[in-house]
């Protein structure tokens, strides 16, 4: 029997597991895996491994996730790489999809066969009242979005967002920010990631539909910024792991005016003045240099958040570091 993992941000996966059981009955070889606010990608990956280990057949695994490009997808995708001949991942999990997957297991023994089969039920399960709100041609919206991209038009890169995020390309980028700034290319600028073939591959696969993702070292981004005519009209969203890489890029000639600060992971030697940002002395000094270079700071996780005061955050971080000395 094909094993099924339901994976989500928060308790959604557990809720849909319970709903599926109410409608279709209790199921064997099905596990809900959740990413909670206090947990990171490694925690979720460990949960997925434990869930898979509990299945009778670990060769055939179907993973249903909430969001394409989110942390559950990214961690599932990292496991999928070693089993791509048999496993399957489907994003956009909904209840019709889950029930159809349960039903299909009685006649289908392949995870990939079930994945292909349940897509129709998942899409048909999306309805609206009143019916006239249903679009006459679902393809038209995609064509309209393609027109917004301005791909191939004369000119050079338009930098629609530059962001510091230690998680790089994840759900908030693939959904909220991409819909807000409409990039045609997402460029991860990192020497470390560019050297990691697996991470680079996973990042390019996590790009939202219609957007190309790339991973380049800082030096390559500088070259692109100085000779970007070949990318005429492309709307670029740049992702950095840390402020040091941003400073190198700016000093090298990448014409950034604003940097969005979304997430900086905690590590030994760092203080954490708020829930998502952690700093050491080098980080603080680097942000001061970025400010001197004329950059403004936009502290938001997602577009709808109110903007944080970066000067106040840095002052608090410096005070906490001083206490540790």
């Amino acid at each position: 029997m094909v094993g099924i993992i339901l994976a989500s941000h928060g308790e959604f996966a557990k809720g849909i597991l319970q709903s599926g059981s109410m409608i279709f009955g209790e199921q064997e070889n099905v596990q809900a895996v959740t990413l909670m606010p206090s947990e990171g990608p490694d925690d979720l990956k460990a949960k997925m491994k434990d869930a898979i280990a509990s299945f009778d057949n670990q060769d055939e695994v179907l993973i249903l996730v909430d969001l394409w490009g989110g942390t559950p997808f990214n961690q599932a995708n990292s496991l999928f790489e070693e089993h791509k001949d048999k496993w399957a991942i489907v994003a956009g999990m909904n209840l019709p999809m889950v029930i159809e997957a349960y039903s299909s297991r009685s006649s289908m023994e392949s995870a990939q066969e079930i994945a292909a089969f349940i897509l129709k039920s998942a899409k048909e399960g999306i309805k609206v009242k009143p019916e006239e709100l249903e679009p006459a041609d679902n393809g038209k919206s995609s064509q309209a979005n393609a027109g917004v991209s301005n791909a191939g038009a004369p000119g050079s890169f338009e930098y629609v967002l530059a962001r510091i995020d230690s998680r790089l390309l994840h759900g908030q980028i693939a959904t909220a920010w991409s819909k807000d700034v409409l990039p045609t290319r997402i460029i991860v600028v990192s020497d470390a990631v560019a050297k990691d073939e697996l991470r680079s591959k996973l990042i390019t696969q996590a790009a939202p539909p219609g957007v190309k993702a790339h991973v380049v070292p800082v030096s390559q981004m500088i070259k692109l910024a100085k000779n970007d005519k070949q990318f005429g009209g492309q709307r670029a969203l740049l992702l950095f792991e840390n402020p040091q890489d941003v400073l190198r890029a700016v000093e090298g000639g990448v014409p950034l005016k604003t940097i969005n600060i979304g997430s900086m992971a905690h590590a030994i030697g760092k203080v954490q003045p708020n829930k998502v940002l952690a700093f050491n002395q080098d980080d603080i000094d680097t942000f001061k240099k970025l400010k001197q270079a004329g950059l403004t700071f936009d502290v938001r996780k997602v577009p709808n958040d109110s903007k944080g005061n970066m000067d106040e955050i840095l002052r608090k971080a410096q005070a906490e570091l001083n206490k540790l000395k």
Side-chain angles (χ1 to χ4, degrees):
M1 177 180 286
V2 173
I4 298 176
I5 290 179
L6 313 177
S8 71
H9 296 79
E11 300 280 1
F12 174 56
K14 289 185 178 179
I16 206 167
L17 174 65
Q18 183 184 51
S19 297
S21 298
M22 290 176 63
I23 295 170
F24 204 81
E26 295 293 332
Q27 295 293 304
E28 296 180 352
N29 295 296
V30 177
Q31 294 284 345
V33 176
T34 60
L35 174 67
M36 303 309 293
S38 61
E39 296 175 329
D42 290 341
D43 299 310
L44 185 67
K45 190 172 185 177
K47 289 182 181 180
M48 287 185 175
K49 288 182 176 180
D50 289 342
I52 294 166
S54 73
F55 294 157
D56 295 337
N57 181 4
Q58 298 170 25
D59 291 329
E60 295 288 347
V61 177
L62 174 62
I63 306 176
L64 308 182
V65 301
D66 52 1
L67 290 174
W68 183 273
T71 299
F73 170 83
N74 291 338
Q75 296 309 305
N77 199 27
S78 68
L79 297 173
F80 169 80
E81 282 300 309
E82 296 181 2
H83 305 272
K84 60 176 63 177
D85 57 328
K86 291 190 175 182
W87 289 15
I89 305 172
V90 181
M93 176 172 58
N94 61 16
L95 191 53
M97 175 195 298
V98 171
I99 293 172
E100 193 66 54
Y102 289 172
S103 175
S104 301
R105 291 197 300 174
S106 62
S107 58
M108 299 179 185
E109 298 180 356
S110 162
Q112 295 186 354
E113 184 182 8
I114 294 174
F117 183 74
I118 65 177
L119 292 179
K120 183 179 179 182
S121 295
K123 293 174 182 178
E124 290 179 346
I126 302 172
K127 303 289 185 182
V128 63
K129 281 280 190 178
E131 287 82 355
E132 55 264 29
L133 297 179
E134 190 79 30
D137 182 2
N138 289 330
K140 290 181 180 179
S141 60
S142 297
Q143 294 170 7
N145 288 338
V148 173
S149 74
N150 199 30
S156 57
F157 270 137
E158 178 183 356
Y159 296 93
V160 295
L161 182 73
R163 176 179 171 96
I164 296 173
D165 193 326
S166 56
R167 297 170 295 174
L168 295 174
L169 181 49
H170 59 97
Q172 291 174 355
I173 306 299
T175 55
W177 282 109
S178 290
K179 290 180 180 178
D180 188 67
V181 301
L182 299 176
T184 58
R185 294 179 186 267
I186 295 175
I187 305 176
V188 170
V189 186
S190 168
D191 292 351
V193 180
K195 294 177 183 177
D196 190 325
E197 184 177 348
L198 178 58
R199 284 187 73 190
S200 296
K201 185 176 182 179
L202 294 176
I203 284 171
T204 58
Q205 292 177 345
V211 181
K212 292 184 177 180
H214 311 268
V215 179
V216 300
V218 178
S219 60
Q220 181 65 20
M221 188 65 233
I222 292 171
K223 291 179 182 178
L224 289 174
K226 292 179 178 179
N227 184 23
D228 63 355
K229 299 302 181 183
Q230 59 182 311
F231 298 105
Q234 295 289 331
R235 297 168 59 83
L237 188 163
L238 306 188
L239 294 174
F240 299 86
E241 283 189 290
N242 55 64
Q244 291 79 12
D245 284 349
V246 178
L247 182 62
R248 285 177 56 203
V250 170
E251 290 179 340
V254 180
L256 303 180
K257 297 179 180 179
T258 299
I259 185 73
N260 169 249
I261 300 106
S263 171
M264 292 175 59
H266 188 270
I268 296 174
K270 290 195 174 191
V271 296
Q272 194 165 353
N274 68 18
K275 292 182 179 180
V276 295
L277 300 179
F279 305 83
N280 58 24
Q281 190 61 56
D282 186 32
D283 295 329
I284 294 174
D285 294 341
T286 301
F287 277 113
K288 289 179 180 179
K289 292 177 182 178
L290 287 170
K291 186 175 182 179
Q292 291 170 358
L295 269 74
T296 57
F297 302 130
D298 173 14
V299 186
R300 285 183 295 168
K301 290 190 297 182
V302 293
N304 291 336
D305 284 349
S306 57
K307 295 183 180 181
N309 186 320
M310 191 61 176
D311 289 336
E312 182 178 331
I313 292 171
L314 290 174
R315 281 195 296 268
K316 185 175 180 180
Q318 186 65 72
E320 293 184 17
L321 281 172
N322 290 340
K323 291 179 182 179
L324 299 177
K325 294 180 179 178

